[in-house]
Amino acid sequence: DAGVIQSPRHEVTEMGQEVTLRCKPISGHDYLFWYRQTMMRGLELLIYFNNNVPIDDSGMPEDRFSAKMPNASFSTLKIQPSEPRDSAVYFCASSLGRRWEKLFFGSGTQLSVL
Amino acid sequence: AQSVTQLGSHVSVSEGALVLLRCNYSSSVPPYLFWYVQYPNQGLQLLLKYTSAATLVKGINGFEAEFKKSETSFHLTKPSAHMSDAAEYFCAVSEGNQGGKLIFGQGTELSVKP
């Protein structure tokens, strides 16, 4: 299996622009997680899905952030409008069941908002 | 609420020296504890886990960690550092292996000097 695939690897955009991050989980995994990593706050859980349904979005910082999972093999995290403080590395992870030792991370998207 | 504190955001050791990365946790229920490693430009990978069995847990690449309930600690050690161990290490806690959220510490960057 190719693992969790995220795109793009790097994204540079200007403040106010819409940003869409993409994730393809490991085939057969039923949980998908979006994390954000910053120097100040470390690794934070933003939202997670089970069987394509959002279960907990309490970590989503603001209404500017939204996430969708239209099917079992694809998820997006959208920021509209983007702000410089959104600059971070965004990770997607997936697991079969919510068993943490079976949690696999993608390589992340490095987002820079100028 | 659960939380994890990693003491020292950056640790530097010489090759062949002991590696000690400190992690203290807070949890209202018996915790499940994890160490993850993140190599540059990659996602997190599971290093080892404690799930209420043996208190001394052995992981990959010669790392091990000891759960000490009285000290609420789960420090990561390796007897002899290799250059390839240079990475960022994250301690994480959850309420059981399938419940609650996986809460990460701020991370500790390990540097290994020749």
Side-chain angles (χ1 to χ4, degrees):
Chain A
D1 198 311
V4 177
I5 299 173
Q6 291 186 246
S7 64
R9 287 297 306 272
H10 303 275
E11 176 79 38
V12 180
T13 190
E14 293 186 348
M15 183 174 62
Q17 296 298 304
E18 177 179 298
V19 175
T20 299
L21 311 181
R22 298 172 176 79
C23 175
K24 176 179 169 55
I26 292 174
S27 177
H29 281 191
D30 55 349
Y31 279 85
L32 184 139
F33 304 82
W34 282 100
Y35 286 88
R36 178 172 68 175
Q37 184 180 29
T38 61
M39 290 289 289
M40 292 297 293
R41 301 174 69 89
L43 202 62
E44 307 171 273
L45 176 64
L46 300 178
I47 184 172
Y48 76 91
F49 296 82
N50 176 219
N51 292 324
N52 315 336
V53 177
I55 303 301
D56 185 345
D57 65 355
S58 60
M60 297 285 263
E62 300 173 30
D63 291 346
R64 298 184 296 106
F65 285 69
S66 63
K68 294 182 179 180
M69 192 165 186
N71 57 62
S73 59
F74 184 65
S75 177
T76 60
L77 178 67
K78 185 177 293 186
I79 308 173
Q80 166 64 20
S82 59
E83 297 182 3
R85 59 193 168 122
D86 302 330
S87 298
V89 181
Y90 291 81
F91 287 103
C92 176
S94 71
S95 67
L96 178 60
R98 201 164 65 179
R99 296 180 61 83
W100 304 125
E101 74 267 28
K102 300 295 185 184
L103 185 65
F104 293 89
F105 283 78
S107 298
T109 294
Q110 173 77 58
L111 173 64
S112 297
V113 183
L114 307 177
Chain B
Q2 297 168 293
S3 66
V4 173
T5 302
Q6 292 183 239
L7 299 177
S9 59
H10 186 248
V11 170
S12 182
V13 301
S14 297
E15 192 172 20
L18 170 72
V19 175
L20 171 61
L21 305 182
R22 300 178 186 274
C23 171
N24 288 88
Y25 70 90
S26 172
S27 178
S28 58
V29 299
Y32 279 44
L33 295 157
F34 306 83
W35 275 99
Y36 286 83
V37 60
Q38 182 183 26
Y39 297 105
N41 300 313
Q42 295 185 27
L44 281 69
Q45 304 172 37
L46 182 67
L47 204 53
L48 51 79
K49 65 183 189 291
Y50 165 77
T51 56
S52 74
T55 57
L56 182 62
V57 180
K58 294 186 184 299
I60 61 173
N61 300 337
F63 283 93
E64 62 182 37
E66 186 173 8
F67 172 69
K68 291 187 177 180
K69 184 178 179 180
S70 61
E71 300 178 6
T72 61
S73 69
F74 190 58
H75 302 332
L76 182 70
T77 61
K78 182 174 180 177
S80 176
H82 295 165
M83 296 296 291
S84 60
D85 295 327
E88 187 149 17
Y89 293 80
F90 291 89
C91 183
V93 63
S94 75
E95 293 177 348
N97 196 23
Q98 299 189 55
K101 298 180 182 180
L102 189 62
I103 306 299
F104 287 88
Q106 293 284 81
T108 297
E109 184 178 355
L110 174 66
S111 300
V112 182
K113 298 175 290 186

